[in-house]
Each structure stands twice: as structure tokens, then as C-alpha cells.
Amino acid sequence: MPISSADSYEIRYGWTRRGAWIALTLASFMGVGLIPGAEPPVGLLLEPLLAPILAATVLTASCRRTAVLIDQKGITLGRVPFTHREFVPWSEIVSVDLCSVMAGSGRFRVPVLDVRHRQGAAPQWHPANSPGVQAIDTYLANHVDADFVETFRGTTMSTRGMVLCRLDPARLKEAIQGFAPGVRVFGDVD
């Protein structure tokens, strides 16, 4: 069903197979410390380290908060522990990328939604002003299509993990193309 200007696409946090696996794994490592006479794995007390991660995972998956909202105004990236809510209007968005990044020392892939956007001039401390990033920009300017380089020069990326989200890539692509046909869509969205 095509997207109309009154529609929106909302991705909510909730329990997924991978989220349940993460919670059970963390709980089992913590549970070893409760067995009388058992030595904790790796000889460490893992409870103080794992308890906040387990609590954040369970709370995020159970709250059903909005992870991403795509509507006629732009994209809103919802708040989760250790991040802030962020709204990016369509006029500033350059691209959206649904990709997988390696996590856990490269043992498994984590789905991530990246929104690349412009937000005026980057502050002096911003990574885009670092000599390394400027050197990459110079290299790309000499080796990649000039239009492509100019499109992404000076952009910032906002990211949200999609481990605890049920996401329909086809609906995501349809929503982005329906509201902002000029925005580039990359990654596993096709």
C-alpha cells in the first residue's frame, strides 16, 4: 500500500529473537554467581558489569517506545538509554542506510539505521573537522564522482541500533521514497 502524506511509518522497540537471546545470555552469566560454591566465569564478578546492560535491554524491549518515526516532516530517532531523541527534517537528510555492523569482537552482526544529514556548519570539536576526515574528503574528491562527494561533504550521521526492533525494510524504503524521493537509500533496504 503506497504511503500518503497523512501516513507515517513507526518502528517500535520490542522483544525480538536476538534481543531475547542477549537477555538470556546476560542473565545466565549473572546467574552463575548465585550458585553456591561456583566460581564466576573468567574469575571476575560480572554482576556489577552485566546488570546495567541487562536492565537496559529488558526495559527497552518492554517499553514499546518509538525507535524511529518517519513522517511528512522528517525522521525522528527515538530515545533509548545513553542517547537522546533527535528529529531531522527532510530538507537536511542526505541518505538513509540500513546496514549491519560487526559487534562482539566480530562474532555477530548488529542491524543499524544510519541517517546522514546536514546541520549547518560543524562545530570546531566535531569529528568532521579532524585532519583525518579532511584527508579522506580530499582523497574521495580525487577518486569518486564529484556529485557523490559533494552530496555527502560536511554531513553528520545519526545512528540507532535495530536489535530490539521489528523492521520491515520494504515499508521503510517505501516510506522514505514516499515522503522524500530525493533522499538516497542504501543498505539492506532493497
Side-chain angles (χ1 to χ4, degrees), residues 11-13 60 65-70 75-88 95-101 110-117 119 156-167 172:
I11 303 167
R12 292 185 170 271
Y13 289 106
T60 301
R65 281 185 162 179
T66 300
V68 178
L69 174 65
I70 300 172
I75 296 179
T76 303
L77 301 169
R79 187 179 181 286
V80 293
F82 314 114
T83 64
H84 61 280
R85 182 181 172 103
E86 185 174 0
F87 170 74
V88 185
S95 71
V96 177
D97 183 10
L98 178 62
C99 58
S100 297
V101 296
V110 176
V112 172
L113 184 74
D114 295 330
V115 178
R116 211 166 259 287
H117 56 93
Q119 287 199 344
T156 302
M157 186 166 55
S158 298
T159 302
R160 286 299 181 271
M162 298 281 108
V163 171
L164 297 174
C165 299
R166 289 198 176 106
L167 173 65
L172 175 67

Side-chain angles (χ1 to χ4, degrees), residues 8 16-17 20 22 32 41 59 69 74-75 104 115 122 130 149 153 155-156:
S8 64
T16 61
R17 189 177 329 155
I22 290 169
V32 169
L59 289 173
L69 174 65
I75 296 179
V115 178
S130 71
V149 171
R153 184 183 306 279
T155 60
T156 302

Side-chain angles (χ1 to χ4, degrees), residues 8-91:
S8 64
Y9 178 49
E10 186 173 22
I11 303 167
R12 292 185 170 271
Y13 289 106
W15 285 104
T16 61
R17 189 177 329 155
R18 179 168 282 168
W21 180 84
I22 290 169
L24 288 173
T25 302
L26 291 172
S28 66
F29 274 112
M30 290 176 55
V32 169
L34 300 175
I35 299 172
E39 287 292 320
V42 193
L44 298 173
L45 294 175
L46 294 177
E47 290 85 1
L49 300 173
L50 298 179
I53 299 169
L54 177 60
T57 301
V58 170
L59 289 173
T60 301
S62 300
C63 72
R64 301 284 301 147
R65 281 185 162 179
T66 300
V68 178
L69 174 65
I70 300 172
D71 61 13
Q72 67 274 7
K73 297 175 194 169
I75 296 179
T76 303
L77 301 169
R79 187 179 181 286
V80 293
F82 314 114
T83 64
H84 61 280
R85 182 181 172 103
E86 185 174 0
F87 170 74
V88 185
W90 288 118
S91 60

